[in-house]
Amino acid sequence: MRKDIASIVIGVAAMAVSFCPFIPIQLIGAVGAVVGFRLAREARREDYRRDLTCSIGTVASIAGVVLCLLTPVVYLVGQIVLLVAG
């Protein structure tokens, strides 16, 4: 499978995993999205003509990272607020 297409698939899968209610799975999705980002960068360096699919893979992977890490960060901040508030 080409790296640019793999990065798109991994990024979309990370976005789908971000809606899972279990934080460890979301963290795994974030790691997968980082791998997808790296694949898109490598594919762009190998062949500049695949710029569109590499850009799509990059955007999908970044969105996957943001969505996957949003819930754990909000949960952690909420727990800290509850701990401080008593």
Side-chain angles (χ1 to χ4, degrees):
M1 180 179 264
R2 292 185 351 202
K3 289 180 181 179
D4 53 342
I5 302 299
S7 70
I8 294 171
V9 170
I10 292 171
V12 169
M15 285 190 282
V17 167
S18 70
F19 295 105
C20 181
F22 303 110
I23 291 177
I25 295 175
Q26 291 176 342
L27 295 176
I28 292 170
V31 170
V34 169
V35 170
F37 180 78
R38 297 282 301 173
L39 284 174
R41 300 265 306 173
E42 289 175 15
R44 181 174 286 148
R45 286 185 190 141
E46 289 174 4
D47 189 3
Y48 70 91
R49 293 172 291 176
R50 295 184 181 160
D51 188 48
L52 179 64
T53 54
C54 292
S55 296
I56 294 169
T58 301
V59 169
S61 296
I62 289 173
V65 167
V66 169
L67 289 175
C68 283
L69 293 181
L70 183 68
T71 302
V73 169
V74 170
Y75 174 77
L76 184 64
V77 169
Q79 291 300 317
I80 291 172
V81 168
L82 288 175
L83 182 68
V84 170

